[in-house]
Amino acid sequence: MFLPFPTITQHLISNPFTLMATPSSLLLSLLIILYLALEFDIARSDPDPLQDYCVADPKASTSSFFNGIPCINPNLANTQHFTTSALSLPGNTKNLFGFSVTLTNTQNLPGINTLGLTLARIDIGARGIVPLHSHPRASEVTICLIGRMVVGFVDTSNRVFTKKLGPGESFVFPKGLVHFMYNEDVKNSAVAVSGLNSQNPGAQLVALAAFGSKPQIPEEVLKKSFEISECEIAHIRKSLGG
């Protein structure tokens, strides 16, 4: 007969090695890990706020570290803290990849602080691309507003899921998985808006992470990882701007 999970957990904490004594203990240990993940909500993206809102105070002292931005006095909050026009203007797509991302943040939308979400406007020029990238702390849902675009992601078994989106159509990118957006149109730009379930989702472009890191990843690692030569590595690095 099994003990209640809380009792088992207390036993595991006070006697961490006893559960490794028998093979059957491995399954029990895995169940305990699952229980702890559910009990303490390890999979949560951002922590829940402890109040109705926490309007960011960018001018607050930076002598202490906060998981977010310090709050102003709630009595000083007003409507302007919860609205922004940051996503109303098109971004500059004249760059290597032909795209621009404009994000809401605690500077242009202070009321978003601690709410666990971010909005993004994505402008993609003709034949532009948001290259392969991932968000380590957020899932993303995208809706195409103008034009048409090809979107997709790769799961951990290397299956690719792609879709051509037109205005009003949406697509979701699971948390942490590599994904892309591509505008096939040779003449017209495309515009999309995305929602991400983290105040700080992070973004890591695969190409820049591999070939544009500082200091550089050793060439031997890149040669073996991508099965390419030193000349090809140098060409890619030059194309990426460094």
Side-chain angles (χ1 to χ4, degrees), residues 74 92 126 138 152 160-161 178 197 202 206 209 220 235:
N92 183 4
V160 179
F161 298 81
V178 172
N197 65 333
V206 174
E220 197 64 28
H235 174 74

Side-chain angles (χ1 to χ4, degrees), residues 2-134:
F2 285 110
L3 295 172
F5 265 126
T7 303
I8 295 175
T9 305
Q10 295 266 343
H11 178 75
L12 176 61
I13 294 173
S14 58
N15 303 277
F17 297 105
T18 58
L19 289 177
M20 303 303 293
T22 64
S24 61
S25 297
L26 177 60
L27 176 59
L28 183 58
S29 299
L30 292 174
L31 290 174
I32 290 173
I33 292 171
L34 176 61
Y35 166 76
L36 290 172
L38 295 174
E39 179 72 15
F40 297 103
D41 211 359
I42 292 173
R44 183 184 300 279
S45 178
D46 287 358
D48 285 335
L50 299 178
Q51 58 282 320
D52 290 342
Y53 45 80
C54 175
V55 176
D57 182 8
K59 298 180 181 179
S61 170
T62 57
S63 60
S64 299
F65 179 81
F66 293 85
N67 191 19
I69 303 295
C71 316
I72 66 171
N73 186 325
N75 293 329
L76 301 178
N78 60 64
T79 303
Q80 294 304 312
H81 290 130
F82 300 96
T83 185
T84 182
S85 59
L87 306 186
S88 65
L89 299 176
N92 183 4
T93 60
K94 294 181 179 180
N95 52 59
L96 177 63
F97 297 111
F99 83 100
S100 174
V101 175
T102 305
L103 296 171
T104 56
N105 53 48
T106 54
Q107 295 289 327
N108 57 38
L109 188 59
I112 207 170
N113 192 40
T114 77
L115 299 187
L117 58 90
T118 298
L119 286 175
R121 171 181 173 140
I122 302 103
D123 291 275
I124 312 177
R127 299 302 297 270
I129 186 171
V130 182
L132 293 169
H133 66 285
S134 66

Side-chain angles (χ1 to χ4, degrees), residues 212-218 237:
S213 62
K214 296 180 180 180
Q216 295 178 342
I217 294 175
R237 282 176 168 163

Side-chain angles (χ1 to χ4, degrees), residues 164-185:
K164 288 187 177 182
L165 299 183
E169 295 183 314
S170 300
F171 193 82
V172 65
F173 305 105
K175 179 180 179 179
L177 296 186
V178 172
H179 58 282
F180 64 89
M181 303 176 192
Y182 173 54
N183 178 11
E184 290 184 311
D185 197 312

